[in-house]
Amino acid sequence: NMAKRVSVLDSHGVNKKPSPSRVRVSVRLRPFMEKEEDQACVRGLDAQSLEIVNYRNQLETMQYHFDAFYGEKATQREIYTSSVCPILPHLLVGQNASVFAYGPTGAGKTHTMLGNPQQPGIIPRAVRDLLQMTRGKNGTPEEENWTFTITMSYVEIYQEKVMDLLEPKNKDLPIREDKGHNILIPGVTQKTITTFSDFDEHFIPASQNRTVASTKLNDRSSRSHAVLLIKVQKNQQISPFRQLTGKLYLIDLAGSEDNRRTGNQGIRLKESGAINSSLFTLSKVVDALNQGLPRIPYRDSKLTRLLQDSLGGSAHSVMIANIAPEKHYYFDTLTALNFAAKSKQVINKPFSLETTQAPVQPTMKRPRDDLENLVPSQ
Ligand code: ADP
Ligand code: MG
């Protein structure tokens, strides 16, 4: 019984339809939450665009355009259904995908990816649906000779080191590429999950292993990238015993805030530097993919190296840039928008014209000029 296992390889495999390597970029604006007397400086326009005050010139408004824009009333279900659900079937035919939440600390990344029991986010919904999609697959003649296995790995990239959150003694794991151009982490823990409670059992304690440290911006600000990998393996039970693997990366990125404004010093400043350089590489990779450039700088950071077979190429990639409406997020919001935007337009009209509120107070200055004003009051 020396049946030969034919592996249908990932990103360069023959069975894959070429698809555009573009990263779909959407923006989610969370509801206004600050108690202080303040007003929003960002406003949605339609399902693909928003406008933001131009602090340099109060007579102008900047309009940004994206693949999708989700306003403060958008539900978790809506975001999941339109941005993530459509990519899941591709995993069952051996393609890869990645979904990542970008944005400053406090803008809603963890809410979007994880959510809470009342408002579950992308991670629990995707896991639940993948389990369901693979469980019921035995009715059709094509599927009846296949079995599915779903496994999870959960790592954190902190200061350019890959740490295993399911087995914290595995620190600084390597990233390798096999002959089929698949990226893997040798030695990383993989747990098989067959039910949602299997997932919870591994995921919840692992989440508590995440490195969190306090900054002035947020008490539990995450300074690391949390990378959850859900692997869908499909094995043919009869000759030629083909095997297909689809990988889904679900990533809660480190905060994109400018460290000049967090009051960070010493080790914290060094951490912020590492976070920023890795986010900077991610932005270069996304730009290069979306502009169709010949060279994609995947190797310039651990995060993009790990995502090389699941970001661009034949993979399905979605970035959700989370932004907050409050004025003190203004500069971080601009950074996120400039990363996410397909296009930007300066419109000759004051931002306040279409609202019944008072005009925006001219208190916004560059962070360097006015550090105190930009630190939140709580
Ligand atoms: P981040 O992970 O980017 O630092 P969080 O997801 O922790 O931000 O969000 C900060 C706070 O805002 C949390 O209390 C979260 O529950 C809340 N929040 C974020 N987005 C939303 C939203 N769309 N609706 C309601 N509350 C939200
Ligand atoms: Mg968070």
Side-chain angles (χ1 to χ4, degrees):
N1 258 328
M2 299 287 285
K4 200 170 127 207
R5 281 188 181 264
V6 179
S7 172
V8 177
L9 296 172
D10 277 347
S11 38
H12 301 262
V14 284
N15 272 19
K16 291 190 174 169
K17 268 189 253 152
S19 60
S21 56
R22 272 200 79 240
V23 178
R24 210 184 114 89
V25 182
S26 41
V27 167
R28 182 184 200 181
L29 173 63
R30 74 149 163 72
F32 197 93
M33 297 199 341
E34 308 288 322
K35 288 186 186 74
E36 69 196 80
E37 207 42 59
D38 197 355
Q39 63 183 85
C41 62
V42 193
R43 178 171 56 213
L45 291 172
D46 56 41
Q48 292 185 308
S49 52
L50 61 72
E51 62 181 9
I52 181 165
V53 61
N54 184 0
Y55 82 99
R56 290 173 200 276
N57 181 349
Q58 302 284 309
L59 299 173
E60 288 178 355
T61 299
M62 292 179 288
Q63 298 191 346
Y64 285 84
H65 195 77
F66 318 98
D67 290 313
F69 169 72
Y70 302 106
E72 54 263 72
K73 293 200 177 71
T75 61
Q76 300 281 66
R77 179 203 298 268
E78 193 180 335
I79 286 158
Y80 173 74
T81 306
S82 59
S83 279
V84 183
C85 214
I87 67 180
L88 299 186
H90 299 288
L91 296 163
L92 274 64
V93 295
Q95 294 185 349
N96 297 339
S98 55
V99 177
F100 41 101
Y102 175 92
T105 298
K109 295 180 298 297
T110 304
H111 183 77
T112 297
M113 296 309 295
L114 195 56
N116 54 53
Q118 290 72 44
Q119 298 162 288
I122 288 169
I123 288 173
R125 288 172 196 269
V127 169
R128 180 200 59 191
D129 284 357
L130 279 173
L131 285 166
Q132 203 184 356
M133 286 160 82
T134 52
R135 201 180 294 134
K137 289 273 180 184
N138 51 16
T140 63
E142 292 140 55
E143 300 287 358
E144 68 184 1
N145 294 312
W146 295 85
T147 58
F148 288 93
T149 308
I150 296 190
T151 61
M152 66 180 281
S153 297
Y154 192 23
V155 301
E156 174 179 60
I157 301 178
Y158 179 64
Q159 291 204 20
E160 292 298 280
K161 288 191 172 75
V162 180
M163 325 268 217
D164 190 343
L165 289 170
L166 295 175
E167 189 51 82
K169 71 170 168 25
N170 295 341
K171 294 184 170 71
D172 201 6
L173 291 166
I175 300 173
R176 302 255 185 275
E177 182 171 353
D178 73 8
K179 288 190 203 109
H181 302 286
N182 300 300
I183 306 292
L184 30 112
I185 308 173
V188 77
T189 307
Q190 277 193 62
K191 299 281 187 190
T192 300
I193 54 172
T194 52
T195 63
F196 192 82
S197 52
D198 291 344
F199 170 76
D200 259 358
E201 192 183 302
H202 302 305
F203 185 78
I204 291 169
S207 301
Q208 283 153 11
N209 291 332
R210 273 198 77 186
T211 307
V212 288
S214 71
T215 70
K216 282 192 189 174
L217 271 184
N218 188 313
D219 273 352
R220 286 180 61 84
S221 130
S222 294
R223 335 194 119 265
S224 62
H225 310 292
V227 181
L228 175 66
L229 169 61
I230 305 291
K231 225 190 245 184
V232 181
Q233 205 172 302
K234 188 176 173 182
N235 289 297
Q236 193 174 26
Q237 299 303 296
I238 55 168
S239 178
F241 298 97
R242 289 168 62 211
Q243 185 182 73
L244 288 111
T245 302
K247 297 195 289 186
L248 172 64
Y249 282 102
L250 298 165
I251 304 170
D252 188 344
L253 292 169
S256 61
E257 58 271 9
D258 186 333
N259 66 54
R260 285 173 303 185
R261 305 203 341 247
T262 60
N264 287 336
Q265 283 167 5
I267 181 72
R268 288 285 166 270
L269 198 62
K270 191 177 155 224
E271 284 176 9
S272 294
I275 293 161
N276 289 349
S277 74
S278 134
L279 285 178
F280 180 59
T281 302
L282 178 66
S283 75
K284 285 192 296 183
V285 165
V286 171
D287 280 348
L289 288 168
N290 286 1
Q291 289 173 40
L293 299 183
R295 188 189 169 266
I296 316 292
Y298 289 112
R299 288 173 178 267
D300 292 1
S301 79
K302 285 281 165 71
L303 176 70
T304 51
R305 177 67 172 142
L306 181 60
L307 289 175
Q308 185 161 354
D309 64 0
S310 306
L311 174 61
S314 65
H316 303 263
S317 331
V318 178
M319 180 179 91
I320 301 171
N322 291 268
I323 58 169
E326 294 88 5
K327 224 192 287 177
H328 69 258
Y329 282 92
Y330 183 80
F331 296 100
D332 290 326
T333 300
L334 280 190
T335 305
L337 293 178
N338 287 330
F339 178 10
K342 286 176 93 171
S343 65
K344 174 183 154 183
Q345 240 185 321
V346 177
I347 304 295
N348 259 316
K349 72 175 176 59
F351 179 79
S352 53
L353 206 73
E354 287 181 4
T355 70
T356 53
Q357 292 167 321
V360 175
Q361 297 302 305
T363 51
M364 276 174 292
K365 292 179 187 166
R366 288 175 168 282
R368 268 181 258 240
D369 301 340
D370 197 357
L371 275 168
E372 283 73 26
N373 269 5
L374 288 154
V375 174
S377 55
Q378 84 268 35

